[in-house]
Amino acid sequence: MSQATTAGYDALLLISFGGPEGPDDVLPFLENVTRGRGIPRERLAKVGEHYHLFGGVSPINGQCRDLKAAIEADLAANGLADLPVYWGNRNWEPYLADTVRQMRDDGIRRAAAFVTSAYDGYSCCGQYQQDIERARAEVPGAPEIDKLRVYYNHPGFVEPFVEATRDALDSLPRALADEAHLAFSAHSVPLSQPGRELYVAELEDVSALVAETAAPGRPWKLVYQSRSGPPTQPWLEPDIADHLEDLHASGVRAVVNVPIGFVSDHMEVKYDLDVEAARTAAKLGLEFRRANTPGTHPRFVAMVRELLQERAGSQRPALGSLGPRPDTCGECR
């Protein structure tokens, strides 16, 4: 294994949000997610019902296992079979600190971290950086860990969404396909959250790029989903449900939802879009299709290796208008 091709890293660390893997895990998981926010237990139980519709299992851990295996296969196919890949979560097993401890025990000295969040902003980038720092502080002798850059405009993220958007449009009845609108959705955040402006700018940038590449001239809008917190706290809007109602009122008959804010089909996609948004569209009589997320698309998987190799001085590809993002998070911490 060449040090030049791995930029001196002796491991790759996959970091994700985590999710419950059975009914008994749901409330403890939600308590981890909301710790320190004072959310009543009855509210957590209500949210937990979303997970129980899927047997108490979030799809995100299974998707991380699949992504880890795909990354390992891609590394092996490109002469990097000796680079180990680890996986740790913020909110559920395998917890990040436990993974960092295992890395230390395995003799890892310096690792690059890929997180399953493509954007800048506190919850997308800065908080993951804090997770890394906190985990290292818990583990004496922990390896150095460098988070790989934000990748929302990397071709390996954009191209799978272009393909998925075209596929979703093609799945509509022929009479509706040419008039369907695109609704790009991302997780809402409070207006007060650090880095919110950059988060929105990146979402707007990549949504415009995917729309123009997949369906030139097609009407589109960036909308938000999955908000939480008290109703009195302002969050990014419009909500996707409100947007669907506006489309219906204006005579639109079909919509393709592109979950541009997500790298895989985890709970905010499977419930908030495939259940809630789809239900709203059905009530309104709108034909509704949801584009796939990148998941383990080969181009997305290869992007992980390319982000690692950038650190050795290779090119830093970026599409859209904002250019390649820096190696550190924006002003979001």
Side-chain angles (χ1 to χ4, degrees):
M1 180 173 62
S2 168
Q3 288 294 305
T5 57
T6 62
Y9 296 110
D10 54 1
L12 180 67
L13 172 59
L14 172 64
I15 304 177
S16 195
F17 191 81
E21 299 206 74
D24 293 342
D25 296 343
V26 173
L27 272 179
F29 163 74
L30 292 173
E31 288 169 347
N32 283 347
V33 173
T34 61
R35 182 173 289 114
R37 291 165 56 185
I39 296 179
R41 190 174 178 84
E42 56 270 21
R43 171 59 182 156
L44 297 183
K46 185 69 174 177
V47 174
E49 293 174 6
H50 303 172
Y51 291 88
H52 289 299
L53 285 176
F54 298 87
V57 178
S58 169
I60 194 169
N61 275 2
Q63 290 163 5
C64 282
R65 292 186 183 96
D66 292 343
L67 179 58
K68 179 176 180 291
I71 292 169
E72 289 168 338
D74 176 81
L75 292 173
N78 288 275
L80 298 173
D82 293 338
L83 187 72
V85 181
Y86 294 84
W87 163 42
N89 289 326
R90 172 186 295 167
N91 294 302
W92 202 248
E93 299 173 351
Y95 289 107
L96 182 56
D98 293 336
T99 300
V100 170
R101 188 172 293 106
Q102 183 63 58
M103 294 167 67
R104 178 203 62 189
D105 294 347
D106 290 346
I108 302 302
R109 305 300 301 271
R110 186 166 180 253
F114 175 82
V115 305
T116 58
S117 181
Y119 295 86
D120 265 304
Y122 174 70
S123 58
C124 299
C125 188
Q127 192 171 9
Y128 278 105
Q129 186 62 56
Q130 290 177 350
D131 292 336
I132 292 170
E133 294 167 357
R134 188 178 301 111
R136 293 189 68 246
E138 290 182 26
V139 180
E144 295 180 23
I145 301 174
D146 296 331
K147 180 185 175 297
L148 296 173
R149 71 172 169 99
V150 163
Y151 52 84
Y152 83 94
N153 59 0
H154 191 288
F157 184 73
V158 175
E159 291 167 9
F161 270 119
V162 170
E163 179 183 310
T165 301
R166 288 173 176 160
D167 288 345
L169 286 166
D170 289 345
S171 74
L172 285 166
R174 186 176 299 273
L176 297 177
D178 289 342
E179 64 179 76
H181 284 229
L182 303 178
F184 291 87
S185 65
H187 206 300
S188 187
V189 300
L191 296 188
S192 60
Q193 185 172 107
R196 184 258 305 169
E197 296 89 348
L198 184 54
Y199 175 62
V200 172
E202 291 173 349
L203 285 165
E204 290 277 5
D205 188 48
V206 71
S207 297
L209 178 62
V210 172
E212 187 57 31
T213 307
R218 180 82 52 166
W220 68 273
K221 188 174 182 64
L222 174 63
V223 300
Y224 297 94
Q225 59 171 94
S226 311
R227 69 153 292 165
S228 59
T232 54
Q233 184 181 38
W235 285 53
L236 290 171
E237 296 179 341
D239 182 81
I240 187 170
D242 296 335
H243 180 59
L244 293 176
E245 292 181 357
D246 289 344
L247 290 178
H248 171 68
S250 65
V252 172
R253 298 189 297 162
V255 60
V256 166
N257 169 219
V258 185
I260 197 71
F262 303 90
V263 306
S264 64
D265 290 2
H266 52 76
M267 189 58 69
E268 281 81 358
V269 174
K270 299 299 289 183
Y271 182 82
D272 296 351
L273 298 179
D274 292 353
V275 176
E276 285 196 326
R279 184 186 293 153
T280 298
K283 180 183 70 175
L284 295 168
L286 277 171
E287 284 286 339
F288 180 86
R289 298 290 187 274
R290 198 263 294 169
N292 290 330
T293 51
T296 56
H297 190 290
R299 188 66 191 88
F300 180 69
V301 173
M303 179 196 72
V304 180
R305 170 176 43 83
E306 292 168 8
L307 290 171
L308 172 68
Q309 292 172 323
E310 281 182 7
R311 293 298 186 102
S314 63
Q315 291 185 340
R316 299 168 62 90
L319 303 174
S321 64
L322 299 182
R325 311 313 296 151
D327 288 337
T328 56
C329 297
E331 295 299 322
C332 57
R333 299 174 60 193

